Structures are given as C-alpha cells and as structure tokens.
Amino acid sequence: RIAQEQENIRLIDTANAPIFGVDTEGKVTVWNKCAADVTGYQSEDTMGRHLTSEFITSDFRASVQEVLDRALQGKETANFEFPLVTKDGHSRVEVLLNATARRDVEGRVVGVVGIGQDITARIAQEQEYIRLIDTANAPIFGVDLEGKVTVWNKCAARLTGYTEEDTMGHHLTSQFITEDFRASVQEVLDRALQGKETANFEFPLVTKDGHSRVEVLLNATSRRDVEGRVVGVVGIGQDITGRIAQEQEYIRLIDTANAPIFGVDAEGKVTVWNKCAARITGYTEKDTMGHDLVKEFITEDYRASVLEVLDNALQGTDTANFEFPLITNNGARVEVLLNATSRRDGNGQVVGMVGIGQDITARIAQEQEYIRLIDTANAPIFGVDTEGKVTVWNRCAADVTGYTADDTMGHHLVSEFITEDFRASVQEVLDRALQGKETANFEFPLITKDGRSRVELLLNATSRR
C-alpha cells in the first residue's frame, strides 16, 4: 500500500497538469511541479497556507471557495474556470479545474484535490478571436440553443443601428428578422443546431430606424463547447444590400429594354422573359417561366441549332449574331438575331444562359423583298464575293447569257464568264469596288453559254457591304 501511495505521489508530482490539494480548512496540502512551474510558487511557498485568500485573485475568491466547500460536502465540480496568482504579481494563470473530495481510508472527506489544466493560452486565443469577430468587416452574430443573441459584433451594430446592448439576450428571429423571413431563418438556425451548416443563405435584418432593411448573405455554423456539444449558432454574414439594389436595377433595365431578352437555366427552362420578348411573341412572362425554351417556343427546323447554342453557352462559350425564329402565340414567327452569353452565379459557376436579341423580322422581310426585286429586275444583275466568286445571278442575267443561277453560283466570274480580252479590265473594276471605289457605265462583254455570241453590257459596279 505504501509503495502504491508513493507511486501515486510520484505520478501527481510529475503530471503534466497543475494539481493541488487542500485540507478541510482550505490550507494547501498538495502542490505539484506543474503548479509550481505555471505560478512560480514552489511547494515550500504554498504548503500550509490558505489557498483562496493567498493564491486566488480577489474577484474569484468567493466562487473558488464555493467550489471547495461543495467538494468538502462530497459534490464534485467539473470544468470550473478561475485564475491563480503568479509569484511575480504581473500575470495570472487561467485554470480549468475539476475539484474532487479527498477521502481517508474510512471514506471520510479530509480535503479537496483539484486537477487543473492551464488554459491561459487558450483564453488568450479566445479573446483574440473575440477581438477579430468584433472588429471584422462583416456582420457576425451568434445565438444560443433558445435562439437568443449571444454575439453581435460592431459591423452588425453599424449596419442595423442596434447596439450589442440592444440585442444581447433577445430572440433573434422574432425581434430582428422581417416577418416574411422568420420561418426560413428559424429553419436555418434549427439545422445548424442539429449540426447541419447552411451556406449563402439570403435574408434581411431589420434596422433600428424601421425605414430600411439590410440584406445579408449568411453562412450559419454550429457553435460547440470544448466537449463538442452544440451550444448555439454563429452566423458570418456579408452585407449585400448594395448588390441586391444593383441586381434589381439590372432586372429593371432588362425588363424595360427595347430588345427581346430571355434567359434559361441549366436545364433549358425559361428564367428571364422581358416585356419586349412578351410584346413581339405575344407570350407573357407567366406563359413562359419554367417552360422549355427550345421545345415550346422554337420552330422545329431550328431546335437542334438553338439547342447547340444553349449548350455552348452552358459550357462557357458565347455565340454572337445567331439568327433563329421564335414562335408567336398566334402561330407566326419572329426572326431574332441573338447574342447568347453564359450566366454565372457568385462563385463563377455557369448556371444558365442569357440571350440578348434583336427583332429582325422586318429586316429579313425587307431583304427578301430586295432579293425578289433583284431577281425579277428587267436588267442583268450579278454579285461576287471578295474572292470574285458569283453570289448573285438574277433571271435577266440568266436570260441574256443562257447560264442559270445554278451554273454560276460559286464560280469565278472573271475567269469563267468574261472574254479573255476583257478579263484584266473587269478584274480591275471589281478590285476597285472591293476597295470602296465605284465604277459607272463600264462596257464589257459576258460570254453566252452557247459560245457563239457575247452579250455587251454597260455596268455600274458597287461595293456590297
């Protein structure tokens, strides 16, 4: 038994935690090496002296004495925080204490033994965290298990007008959240209290003046004690009031723009349909939202190509000046020239596509009218591209030469349809037109298909743009 007691004494003395004991009068009977190291008081300095009155700071003497008295009554105390005075008098050691009754061989309480943990550094770190939280440039608040405010930093106070004193101990949801968001905010808090975090949740905080509200983007995280038990929620927010105001301005501009604008999500369902799109198609926003754009509002012959444009945008590849038709609610079609751009969330992830269009129905009708006029004109009309290949060959040109449009389209005008003696001069006229210099009343011959004759023409050559 003596050997066991000596072993116990050795273990206590060499333990890597401050351990001390007092007798029934509160006088020190145990003071191990770690207690000596952290306080500067050696065992000889403390033995037989009153623990509370000589080694505890005055502001904690009553509470420490209460813990000792409870232990002497056989009631243990766990995780009690208190400071020990250091010998130099310039600092104090913060201790987390488990206090247990000390008994003799007959089971009678003869004192108290306290096994502590030096949490000075941890408390310093906690105080640094508290300082960082309080001075952070983001609204941060915390609630306990009942939803009552336990943390309210300076930024939250500045944004809302409510000071820390106004909020501490008050119920967050019922007093500082707008009525329309109370249920959803409470759900986020309840999830966090179950250990389920929520990221990027948007909700408004009420301001003290009652005339405005602060829009917050919130990350809600469980708050735990040293044993890992959930004891509340801490919310780190971001003031997005300005951003939301900007977004609402963008929405207003989109909705009132004098161009058809629509958007789809990653599944191709309509998420944006502005007033101009509604006006030119006859489909209201209510008619289109949540419906499949391609399947329901695009003519069958264009569905594959429009779907390809949407897929490209969803992969981050934009498309410019894409022509396609939208179906109107009366069965007609509206020709649209579209710029399709990826739509991204706050993290830069593609979440859909926005298309900014231009109604070119009238322009296309005009172009078709020009084509009809050219084709039926009582004069030979032809056109070439920048490589000199035929792109226009009207009926009159076909009638006078014998070459149909099919014979000429994509063929080189000068080398195939101009007599050899005029090729150089005709090429010069074409080159000048490609440089923007027109030529009037130029005479040259076109070869006829039968090869036995040639058609003399008086030409006006104009640039095509």
Side-chain angles (χ1 to χ4, degrees):
R1 195 191 78 184
I2 290 176
Q4 183 65 57
E5 288 177 354
Q6 289 174 336
E7 174 63 10
N8 291 342
I9 291 169
R10 189 189 67 78
L11 289 173
I12 288 171
D13 201 41
T14 59
N16 192 26
I19 299 175
F20 60 85
V22 296
D23 60 19
T24 54
E25 295 179 356
K27 294 182 177 178
V28 177
T29 55
V30 176
W31 193 266
N32 77 341
K33 289 179 180 177
C34 186
D37 290 341
V38 299
T39 64
Y41 287 107
Q42 299 303 310
S43 175
E44 295 80 11
D45 297 327
T46 59
M47 298 297 279
R49 298 172 66 177
H50 198 272
L51 176 71
T52 305
S53 61
E54 297 191 55
F55 303 105
I56 305 296
T57 58
S58 58
D59 50 332
F60 271 83
R61 283 174 189 161
S63 56
V64 171
Q65 189 61 55
E66 183 181 354
V67 167
L68 297 181
D69 290 343
R70 285 173 56 81
L72 290 172
Q73 295 165 18
K75 301 171 185 176
E76 298 182 359
T77 299
N79 298 326
F80 174 71
E81 292 185 21
F82 76 100
L84 281 170
V85 177
T86 59
K87 191 171 184 177
D88 60 19
H90 303 311
S91 58
R92 56 194 238 172
V93 179
E94 301 291 338
V95 175
L96 185 67
L97 181 72
N98 289 331
T100 308
R102 192 177 184 186
R103 298 175 184 274
D104 61 17
V105 291
E106 296 176 357
R108 292 174 298 198
V109 175
V110 294
V112 180
V113 62
I115 301 175
Q117 183 181 352
D118 180 5
I119 57 170
T120 309
R122 195 194 80 186
I123 286 181
Q125 185 69 66
E126 287 177 355
Q127 290 172 337
E128 174 65 7
Y129 288 153
I130 291 168
R131 189 190 66 78
L132 290 173
I133 287 171
D134 199 43
T135 59
N137 192 27
I140 300 175
F141 60 86
V143 297
D144 60 19
L145 296 173
E146 297 178 354
K148 294 182 178 177
V149 177
T150 55
V151 176
W152 192 267
N153 78 338
K154 289 177 181 175
C155 184
R158 185 173 66 253
L159 292 174
T160 63
Y162 287 107
T163 66
E164 186 180 39
E165 291 75 15
D166 294 330
T167 59
M168 297 298 276
H170 291 264
H171 198 271
L172 175 72
T173 305
S174 60
Q175 294 184 250
F176 304 106
I177 306 296
T178 59
E179 188 172 356
D180 51 331
F181 271 82
R182 284 175 189 162
S184 56
V185 171
Q186 189 61 52
E187 182 180 355
V188 167
L189 298 182
D190 290 343
R191 283 174 56 82
L193 290 173
Q194 294 165 18
K196 301 170 185 175
E197 299 183 358
T198 299
N200 298 327
F201 174 71
E202 292 186 19
F203 74 101
L205 282 170
V206 177
T207 59
K208 192 170 185 177
D209 61 19
H211 303 312
S212 56
R213 56 194 237 172
V214 179
E215 302 290 339
V216 174
L217 185 67
L218 180 73
N219 289 332
T221 307
S222 307
R223 193 176 187 186
R224 299 175 183 271
D225 62 17
V226 292
E227 296 177 355
R229 292 174 299 200
V230 175
V231 294
V233 181
V234 62
I236 301 175
Q238 181 183 352
D239 177 11
I240 57 170
T241 310
R243 194 195 80 184
I244 286 181
Q246 185 70 67
E247 287 175 354
Q248 290 172 337
E249 175 65 8
Y250 289 154
I251 290 169
R252 189 189 67 78
L253 290 173
I254 287 170
D255 200 43
T256 59
N258 192 26
I261 300 175
F262 59 86
V264 297
D265 60 19
E267 296 178 353
K269 306 272 181 75
V270 177
T271 55
V272 177
W273 192 266
N274 78 339
K275 289 177 180 175
C276 185
R279 186 172 64 252
I280 66 175
T281 64
Y283 287 108
T284 66
E285 183 182 44
K286 186 178 179 181
D287 295 331
T288 59
M289 296 297 277
H291 290 261
D292 193 288
L293 175 72
V294 175
K295 290 180 181 176
E296 298 186 53
F297 305 105
I298 305 296
T299 59
E300 188 172 356
D301 52 330
Y302 270 84
R303 284 175 188 162
S305 56
V306 171
L307 188 58
E308 183 181 354
V309 168
L310 298 186
D311 289 342
N312 286 340
L314 291 173
Q315 292 166 21
T317 304
D318 296 346
T319 299
N321 298 328
F322 173 71
E323 293 186 21
F324 75 102
L326 281 171
I327 299 172
T328 65
N329 67 345
N330 62 5
R333 55 193 253 170
V334 178
E335 301 292 337
V336 174
L337 185 67
L338 181 73
N339 288 332
T341 307
S342 306
R343 192 176 187 185
R344 299 176 183 270
D345 62 16
N347 297 320
Q349 299 295 314
V350 176
V351 294
M353 183 280 296
V354 63
I356 301 175
Q358 182 182 351
D359 179 5
I360 57 171
T361 309
R363 195 193 80 185
I364 286 180
Q366 185 69 64
E367 287 176 355
Q368 290 171 339
E369 175 65 10
Y370 288 153
I371 290 168
R372 189 188 65 79
L373 290 172
I374 287 170
D375 199 43
T376 60
N378 192 26
I381 300 175
F382 61 85
V384 296
D385 60 19
T386 55
E387 295 179 354
K389 293 181 179 178
V390 177
T391 55
V392 176
W393 193 265
N394 78 339
R395 291 178 188 175
C396 186
D399 290 341
V400 298
T401 64
Y403 287 107
T404 66
D406 293 337
D407 296 330
T408 59
M409 297 296 278
H411 290 263
H412 198 273
L413 176 71
V414 173
S415 61
E416 296 187 54
F417 304 105
I418 305 296
T419 59
E420 189 174 354
D421 52 330
F422 270 84
R423 285 175 187 163
S425 56
V426 171
Q427 188 63 55
E428 183 181 354
V429 168
L430 298 182
D431 290 343
R432 285 173 57 81
L434 290 172
Q435 295 165 17
K437 301 170 184 174
E438 299 181 358
T439 299
N441 300 325
F442 173 72
E443 294 184 20
F444 77 102
L446 277 173
I447 298 171
T448 61
K449 191 171 184 178
D450 61 19
R452 292 192 294 273
S453 59
R454 56 193 234 174
V455 179
E456 300 291 340
L457 293 181
L458 186 65
L459 181 71
N460 289 329
T462 306
S463 306
R464 192 176 185 188
R465 298 177 183 273

